[in-house]
Amino acid sequence: QVQLVESGGGLVQAGDSLRLSCIASGHSFGHYAMDWFRQAPGKEREFVAVIFMTEETYYADSVKGRFTISRDNAKNTVYLQMDNLKPEDTAVYYCARAKALTWRAPDYWGQGTQVTVSS
């Protein structure tokens, strides 16, 4: 079955960087778009970034210029490089698989990894 496993979260200070990884298994990784979403305490889950099979990318305005999504199809892995982190980036980060035409509505999700940014 499809599995997505995130790693790389942690506690950092404002201005620091983190790189999240998500290893996928159980499907043809290169045939799908991959998303990152996040959910802060008391808030709804929100879109962060997506990378398509063509490696075209799209970001939420709140992270544009600070976060970079990338993928390595040979390793079935998607990454989220997060630079200049801010306290408002504190959330559980989820990777998700999606079909290209419905990239805002992924069909499989990972378990999430916690990112905490202190001021």
Side-chain angles (χ1 to χ4, degrees), residues 17-40:
S17 298
L18 274 178
R19 189 175 82 154
L20 306 183
S21 300
C22 172
I23 299 176
S25 61
H27 70 283
S28 298
F29 180 78
H31 292 176
Y32 290 88
M34 296 298 297
D35 293 69
W36 286 97
F37 282 72
R38 67 186 181 186
Q39 187 166 20

Side-chain angles (χ1 to χ4, degrees), residues 30-97:
H31 292 176
Y32 290 88
M34 296 298 297
D35 293 69
W36 286 97
F37 282 72
R38 67 186 181 186
Q39 187 166 20
K43 296 187 177 181
E44 293 188 355
R45 190 175 297 185
E46 65 174 0
F47 166 77
V48 174
V50 62
I51 185 166
F52 296 94
M53 301 81 84
T54 57
E55 305 213 6
E56 180 181 358
T57 58
Y58 180 70
Y59 298 90
D61 287 344
S62 59
V63 307
K64 201 173 296 182
R66 299 188 299 120
F67 289 12
T68 304
I69 188 171
S70 61
R71 66 191 297 163
D72 184 337
N73 290 341
K75 296 182 179 180
N76 287 358
T77 302
V78 60
Y79 303 98
L80 186 68
Q81 176 67 39
M82 306 185 294
D83 298 319
N84 190 22
L85 282 160
K86 303 176 180 181
E88 51 264 42
D89 295 318
T90 295
V92 177
Y93 283 72
Y94 300 89
C95 76
R97 185 195 85 165

